[in-house]
Amino acid sequence: MLPEAVRRFCEVPTFGTADYNLWLTQNDFLSFLREQAQDEEAILYAGAPHTFIHGVLVPADALEPLDIDDLLNWNDCAPFGSWSVAYTFPHSGLPSKVSITPPLDHTSSKTLDKGEQLVFYRQFDGRNEDQCYFEIETKLAHIHNLHYVPERKAFCRFNEEGDIEDIIRIVCLSNHSRDVGTVVTIRREVLDLHLALTNAALVQVFDSTRCDPYNFGGWNGHSEEVVKATERG
């Protein structure tokens, strides 16, 4: 299962061992990125130690041709952004301006700036329980008749047999009885249908930084290496 794989990435082998050196290569993470494209679920968000994945909806025509260099520039592209009001102060004779800005307005990638955020992390201290919670983009939820069921921690609907089925799951990860992160997944067949209806693709940005914080003295000036894979899921 995808959430269990992400949880395993949180486990740091003993420093200096062969397992630790293998863990640093991140071969398991790269294999995971390739293989999860064939899973019955897709990751919309994964946030845990050493793992960050965020999937956004991007119009298909914005990916033709595919600008890999532009996508690699992504910066502010996380489910913590939201719709907001922007105010521009008057300057050079121009009047002030008030506008509504979408969540993916300044991702540092022109491609991702055209996308839609599907998962929103929100926080409200006025809630008695779950003051931190996730919302799903309204269009996605309404088109596929999804409703949040708290006891299942999932956005659900009835299947053809009249049973409740989990379509978008919110899975809390724990390691040694300690909460370490969250994974949000969506059923592949629902995602594929949504992509077909919207003529879009799911683009996943990701980051995985691996080190032992107690035995890490910096990057020692190593140069950056960029590896581009041609596979497209």
Side-chain angles (χ1 to χ4, degrees), residues 111-123:
T111 303
L112 295 177
D113 282 352
K114 299 175 183 178
E116 289 183 57
Q117 187 169 311
L118 299 177
V119 178
F120 296 82
Y121 176 89
R122 307 199 66 197
Q123 182 175 359

Side-chain angles (χ1 to χ4, degrees), residues 2-72:
L2 299 180
E4 176 58 23
V6 174
R7 189 198 63 77
R8 288 197 300 270
F9 295 151
C10 302
E11 300 175 353
V12 182
T14 303
F15 178 77
T17 64
D19 287 341
Y20 179 81
N21 293 332
L22 180 62
W23 180 75
L24 290 180
T25 67
Q26 304 215 48
N27 289 333
D28 57 339
F29 182 70
L30 295 176
S31 296
F32 170 78
L33 290 176
R34 290 190 293 265
E35 294 169 2
Q36 56 106 26
Q38 308 301 323
D39 199 274
E40 62 183 13
E41 291 183 301
I43 290 181
L44 296 180
Y45 169 69
H50 315 294
T51 303
F52 171 83
I53 301 173
H54 183 210
V56 299
L57 203 68
V58 177
D61 57 8
L63 300 171
E64 297 294 343
L66 186 63
D67 191 341
I68 296 178
D69 291 328
D70 173 70
L71 289 169
L72 288 175

Side-chain angles (χ1 to χ4, degrees), residues 39-221:
D39 199 274
E40 62 183 13
E41 291 183 301
I43 290 181
L44 296 180
Y45 169 69
H50 315 294
T51 303
F52 171 83
I53 301 173
H54 183 210
V56 299
L57 203 68
V58 177
D61 57 8
L63 300 171
E64 297 294 343
L66 186 63
D67 191 341
I68 296 178
D69 291 328
D70 173 70
L71 289 169
L72 288 175
N73 285 330
W74 76 271
N75 184 13
D76 187 10
C77 184
F80 314 112
S82 186
W83 291 88
S84 59
V85 177
Y87 177 80
T88 302
F89 291 94
H91 64 92
S92 304
L94 298 176
S96 60
K97 180 182 178 181
V98 178
S99 60
I100 296 176
T101 59
L104 300 178
D105 190 43
H106 295 92
T107 66
S108 298
S109 164
K110 294 179 181 179
T111 303
L112 295 177
D113 282 352
K114 299 175 183 178
E116 289 183 57
Q117 187 169 311
L118 299 177
V119 178
F120 296 82
Y121 176 89
R122 307 199 66 197
Q123 182 175 359
F124 182 52
D125 292 339
R127 293 167 62 106
N128 292 328
E129 297 181 0
D130 296 330
Q131 294 178 346
C132 300
Y133 60 99
F134 287 90
E135 290 181 350
I136 300 301
E137 195 242 354
T138 302
K139 181 167 62 176
L140 173 63
H142 285 203
I143 288 176
H144 304 284
N145 195 26
L146 307 182
H147 304 266
Y148 184 66
V149 181
E151 60 269 25
R152 300 175 73 98
K153 292 189 179 298
F155 287 81
C156 308
R157 67 184 183 188
F158 287 115
N159 61 20
E160 295 179 352
E161 287 74 36
D163 297 323
I164 295 178
E165 59 178 357
D166 299 341
I167 302 300
I168 297 177
R169 299 191 301 139
I170 302 172
V171 182
C172 296
L173 305 178
S174 61
N175 193 22
H176 303 297
S177 302
R178 180 173 61 90
D179 292 338
V180 294
T182 305
V183 176
V184 181
T185 66
I186 182 171
R187 291 273 292 273
R188 175 72 60 178
E189 66 266 26
V190 176
L191 173 63
D192 288 346
L193 174 58
H194 193 74
L195 296 179
L197 292 172
T198 56
N199 190 29
L202 182 74
V203 175
Q204 291 176 321
V205 299
F206 59 88
D207 180 78
S208 176
T209 303
R210 291 189 175 181
C211 65
D212 185 338
Y214 302 105
N215 294 280
F216 180 67
W219 301 112
N220 297 324

